[in-house]
Amino acid sequence: MAGRPREFDRDQALEKARDAFWTRGYEGTSMADLVSALGLASPRIYAAFGSKEDLFREAVALYEANEGGFATRALAEEPTARRVIERMLREAVETYTRPGWPQGCMVVSAATNCAVENDSVLHWLAEHRLARTASIVERLKQGVRDGELKPDTDAETLGDYYATLMHGLSVQARDGVPKERLHALITVAMQSLDARLIQGA
Amino acid sequence: MAGRPREFDRDQALEKARDAFWTRGYEGTSMADLVSALGLASPRIYAAFGSKEDLFREAVALYEANEGGFATRALAEEPTARRVIERMLREAVETYTRPGWPQGCMVVSAATNCAVENDSVLHWLAEHRLARTASIVERLKQGVRDGELKPDTDAETLGDYYATLMHGLSVQARDGVPKERLHALITVAMQSLDARLIQGA
DNA sequence: ACGATTCTTTATCGATCGACAAAGAATTGG
DNA sequence: CCAATTCTTTGTCGATCGATAAAGAATCGT
């Protein structure tokens, strides 16, 4: 043990890395960019985080534990499928359009156009998105079992539908579509779920 | 004029470049990748297309004139807003999931995570997406004026809604969600428009 | 036939990519 | 105080990035 103590705050550096990767993506953020954003010489970054890819994975984990964790939180905290879906979508919009923060979803936009050598990163994020889609589908199936949704509801299709919309919200937010318009569109989308609701459940 | 005639087919080379950029994006495709994909030494590529960025812009234009032109074609050829929207979405899915072709939408995925020096490319594609959103909104407004849609229809919101969904479809297609599931979700989404339709119009 | 023009080939340019070697500085346990 | 350990600093590594200079090859107009 022992040795010279680290002079910088690792958590704080990780937050800065998350913001950099969130803004410009994995390949769009060079080590030189990170050196500049974190205010640390590259050997200090490598000593603390291993490699650029390791740092990115930690940054995504941090994102998902906080700003990007709305889906998980909605699933864990809301009592009905209907409330899970709406809260997830509305918090997505809030996160994707927060002033002074990177726009859009880090998981959607940080590694879409990647060179072959970074396919592992690309697939890793894709799996995160697919897992999110699957968790939404599962929650809707639960809603059917609970008697919240009509028994003939196609939960997989409905889950795909909301997952697709959520990923589209990230694209629109990045393009600068204002949050009011995104919220308005969610109101339209919620009607598809309301139509499947069993009244008084 | 005059001079030695070019030995390769420029159009054919452009198609190969479009496929490469469509698959891996602007920055994900290096000049070395293009040299390999086109089967041409780099000076021949520069002589024929100017620069990597010029080639990319031509490749996107080719994409939009053909595979990626479903929105424009639907808007031009379908008689009602209802038919424009459905055809656009269904052709989008077909294009995004065609076997043996790059998955997803080139305009959505070819330049999302870009280094600062390629911001111009990123913004150029963003403008294409925004223009597409706007054209959908315009078509729905026309539908209201035509008496196809109820007079109190919020065309902007409905247009945002379908544009968002379409961009989400590209993400899902890239992630490997099968086309049948994407078509099923479109059926759900069409109900939002059907609810605004004036019967017998 | 011949100069002008254009394309093809070969070799390479400077800049930047992610990553690290080596040495100096600071702290620990003994 | 000292040896061990860890962090910081300086300098730089080979590979790859997009792009081009220069020379040879092929076709044009005259």
Side-chain angles (χ1 to χ4, degrees):
Chain A
M1 308 293 130
R4 178 174 177 174
R6 183 178 287 127
E7 290 181 358
F8 64 93
D9 185 329
R10 192 183 186 278
D11 294 338
Q12 212 170 322
L14 183 57
E15 286 181 11
K16 288 175 183 170
R18 176 207 55 203
D19 292 346
F21 282 130
W22 189 354
T23 303
R24 305 225 69 97
Y26 178 63
E27 288 189 343
T29 308
S30 68
M31 277 306 301
D33 293 333
L34 291 168
V35 165
S36 162
L38 276 59
L40 300 171
S42 66
R44 307 174 75 180
I45 300 177
Y46 280 92
F49 299 102
S51 68
K52 187 191 171 188
E53 180 170 342
D54 290 339
L55 174 55
F56 177 73
R57 294 178 120 103
E58 269 200 63
V60 170
L62 178 65
Y63 169 78
E64 292 189 319
N66 299 284
E67 293 78 14
F70 46 82
T72 310
R73 283 194 299 274
L75 284 161
E77 298 172 11
E78 293 298 325
T80 66
R82 162 68 222 239
R83 290 185 56 168
V84 167
I85 298 293
E86 177 153 24
R87 174 169 159 190
M88 182 164 55
L89 293 174
R90 310 221 95 115
E91 280 196 25
V93 166
E94 289 299 316
T95 303
Y96 296 169
T97 63
R98 182 148 290 147
W101 286 75
Q103 304 293 285
C105 176
M106 187 175 182
V107 172
V108 172
S109 62
T112 59
N113 49 300
C114 267
V116 225
E117 64 261 31
N118 294 315
D119 257 347
S120 57
V121 172
L122 192 149
H123 287 133
W124 185 62
L125 285 191
E127 279 165 22
H128 281 232
R129 291 189 293 268
L130 288 171
R132 188 153 63 177
T133 301
S135 68
I136 295 171
V137 168
E138 277 314 305
R139 186 58 188 87
L140 291 172
K141 284 184 179 170
Q142 185 62 47
V144 174
R145 284 195 293 272
D146 291 346
E148 180 190 354
L149 301 176
K150 295 178 185 170
D152 64 331
T153 300
D154 184 345
E156 184 177 57
T157 296
L158 211 53
D160 279 337
Y161 165 77
Y162 286 112
T164 302
L165 199 79
M166 186 160 62
H167 294 153
L169 284 173
S170 173
V171 177
Q172 300 296 92
R174 283 219 143 212
D175 288 351
V177 177
K179 79 154 99 171
E180 293 74 20
R181 279 170 59 184
L182 301 181
H183 274 300
L185 132 210
I186 289 174
T187 304
V188 171
M190 289 313 297
Q191 295 169 359
S192 304
L193 187 50
D194 288 336
R196 308 302 312 166
L197 244 41
I198 296 178
Q199 298 304 325
Chain B
M1 307 293 131
R4 179 176 177 173
R6 182 179 288 129
E7 289 182 359
F8 65 93
D9 185 328
R10 192 183 188 277
D11 295 338
Q12 211 169 322
L14 183 57
E15 286 182 10
K16 289 175 182 170
R18 175 206 56 201
D19 292 346
F21 282 130
W22 188 355
T23 302
R24 306 225 67 96
Y26 178 63
E27 288 189 342
T29 308
S30 68
M31 278 307 300
D33 293 333
L34 291 168
V35 165
S36 163
L38 275 59
L40 300 172
S42 63
R44 306 176 75 181
I45 300 177
Y46 280 91
F49 299 101
S51 68
K52 187 189 171 189
E53 180 169 342
D54 289 339
L55 174 56
F56 177 74
R57 294 179 119 102
E58 268 200 64
V60 170
L62 178 64
Y63 169 78
E64 293 189 320
N66 299 286
E67 294 79 12
F70 45 82
T72 309
R73 283 194 299 273
L75 284 161
E77 297 171 13
E78 293 299 324
T80 66
R82 169 68 167 77
R83 291 185 56 168
V84 167
I85 298 292
E86 177 153 24
R87 172 169 161 191
M88 181 164 56
L89 292 174
R90 309 220 97 113
E91 281 197 25
V93 166
E94 289 299 315
T95 303
Y96 297 170
T97 64
R98 183 150 289 149
W101 286 75
Q103 303 294 285
C105 176
M106 187 175 183
V107 172
V108 172
S109 62
T112 59
N113 48 302
C114 266
V116 225
E117 63 261 31
N118 294 314
D119 257 347
S120 58
V121 172
L122 192 150
H123 287 132
W124 184 62
L125 284 192
E127 277 165 23
H128 280 232
R129 292 188 293 268
L130 288 171
R132 188 153 64 175
T133 301
S135 69
I136 295 172
V137 167
E138 277 313 306
R139 186 59 188 85
L140 290 172
K141 283 184 178 169
Q142 185 63 45
V144 174
R145 283 194 294 272
D146 291 345
E148 179 190 356
L149 301 175
K150 295 178 185 169
D152 64 330
T153 300
D154 184 345
E156 183 177 57
T157 297
L158 211 53
D160 279 337
Y161 166 77
Y162 286 112
T164 302
L165 199 80
M166 186 160 62
H167 294 154
L169 284 172
S170 173
V171 177
Q172 299 297 91
R174 285 219 140 209
D175 288 351
V177 177
K179 80 154 98 170
E180 293 75 20
R181 280 169 60 185
L182 300 181
H183 274 301
L185 134 208
I186 289 174
T187 304
V188 172
M190 289 312 298
Q191 295 169 359
S192 304
L193 186 51
D194 288 337
R196 308 302 313 166
L197 242 43
I198 295 177
Q199 299 303 326

